[in-house]
Amino acid sequence: GAGVSQSPRYKVAKRGQDVALRCDPISGHVSLFWYQQALGQGPEFLTYFQNEAQLDKSGLPSDRFFAERPEGSVSTLKIQRTQQEDSAVYLCASSTELDSPLHFGNGTRLTVT
Amino acid sequence: QKEVEQNSGPLSVPEGAIASLNCTYSDRGSQSFFWYRQYSGKSPELIMFIYSNGDKEDGRFTAQLNKASQYVSLLIRDSQPSDSATYLCAVNIGTGNQFYFGTGTSLTVIP
């Protein structure tokens, strides 16, 4: 079956531009997570959805970051007025239920110049 | 103190040896623990998960959990060069569904 799909795979943005990253989870997975991974580091939690409800957004680093999942399936992570420190790989993961293993997409590598 | 800590390595073992990877966590109430493997430039892939104290074996991999010591480990028997990767420990911490990851341990298996 299809895994978690993320697009684009690579994104280059000029500082100050807005970007939108898309995640299409595994069909039927109610939980969806966004992580940020800097080079040489582990994934850092950003936010978590259960169906369409955003239950935890404590990891979003600033109010420039916004995530949504309006119909409980596809999710979009939006970063406004990108900064160089936003350069990282953004990973999306989904799972079937609370405490079950995460399945990751291939990530979007964002480079802000 | 970070929620999940791992030695960053690098850890080098000869082919056929046992590789031992360790992880400690801060929240005594944590209930679920996961090991992921991440090849360079790729996304993390699940190797094993463990919920109960003791050992859990799956092929060449064994996860060991000691909740009293807040310690979880991964043993890889008969290490192969294809096992060379970064291994990430993840712990579900708190009452929500928030998975915290360690920084990962880089493993190199030398042919």
Side-chain angles (χ1 to χ4, degrees):
Chain A
V4 178
S5 178
Q6 290 188 248
S7 61
R9 286 282 285 124
Y10 303 93
K11 177 69 180 177
V12 178
K14 287 192 161 90
R15 190 172 57 184
Q17 283 184 331
D18 298 350
V19 298
L21 312 180
R22 176 189 167 103
C23 173
D24 199 342
I26 294 172
S27 178
H29 280 198
V30 300
S31 298
L32 185 146
F33 301 77
W34 284 98
Y35 284 84
Q36 180 190 60
Q37 187 172 27
L39 193 63
Q41 300 297 313
E44 294 280 344
F45 172 82
L46 293 177
T47 187
Y48 154 61
F49 291 86
Q50 186 161 327
N51 296 307
E52 69 278 5
Q54 189 174 22
L55 298 187
D56 190 337
K57 55 181 181 179
S58 62
L60 295 177
S62 78
D63 59 7
R64 296 186 296 104
F65 287 71
F66 172 76
E68 60 182 3
R69 193 186 185 197
E71 297 177 359
S73 178
V74 171
S75 177
T76 303
L77 177 66
K78 298 179 179 177
I79 309 173
Q80 297 177 321
R81 304 181 303 281
T82 52
Q83 304 294 314
Q84 282 192 311
E85 61 263 28
D86 300 335
S87 296
V89 174
Y90 290 85
L91 294 166
C92 177
S94 67
S95 68
T96 52
E97 57 190 7
L98 191 70
D99 257 3
S100 59
L102 304 183
H103 299 266
F104 283 89
N106 287 327
T108 294
R109 182 178 297 276
L110 173 65
T111 303
V112 181
T113 61
Chain B
Q1 182 190 6
K2 294 197 67 166
E3 291 85 0
V4 181
E5 299 211 42
Q6 297 180 252
N7 288 329
S8 61
L11 174 66
S12 294
V13 299
E15 184 174 356
I18 295 175
S20 177
L21 305 159
N22 304 314
C23 173
T24 58
Y25 58 94
S26 61
D27 185 358
R28 188 172 289 278
S30 297
Q31 296 294 323
S32 47
F33 309 86
F34 305 84
W35 282 100
Y36 287 82
R37 177 176 62 199
Q38 187 172 30
Y39 292 112
S40 181
K42 302 294 186 184
S43 60
E45 55 180 329
L46 180 72
I47 299 176
M48 292 193 69
F49 56 91
I50 186 167
Y51 298 136
S52 305
N53 266 336
D55 295 0
K56 179 181 178 184
E57 187 174 317
D58 183 0
R60 296 186 296 111
F61 299 96
T62 298
Q64 299 176 316
L65 175 61
N66 183 326
K67 289 187 178 180
S69 300
Q70 294 173 239
Y71 176 96
V72 58
S73 65
L74 179 70
L75 300 179
I76 307 174
R77 289 181 300 281
D78 188 24
S79 296
Q80 302 297 308
S82 58
D83 295 327
S84 298
T86 295
Y87 289 80
L88 296 163
C89 171
V91 179
N92 195 334
I93 287 179
T95 56
N97 203 18
Q98 202 180 93
F99 291 77
Y100 282 92
F101 284 79
T103 54
T105 298
S106 175
L107 172 67
T108 300
V109 180
I110 303 166

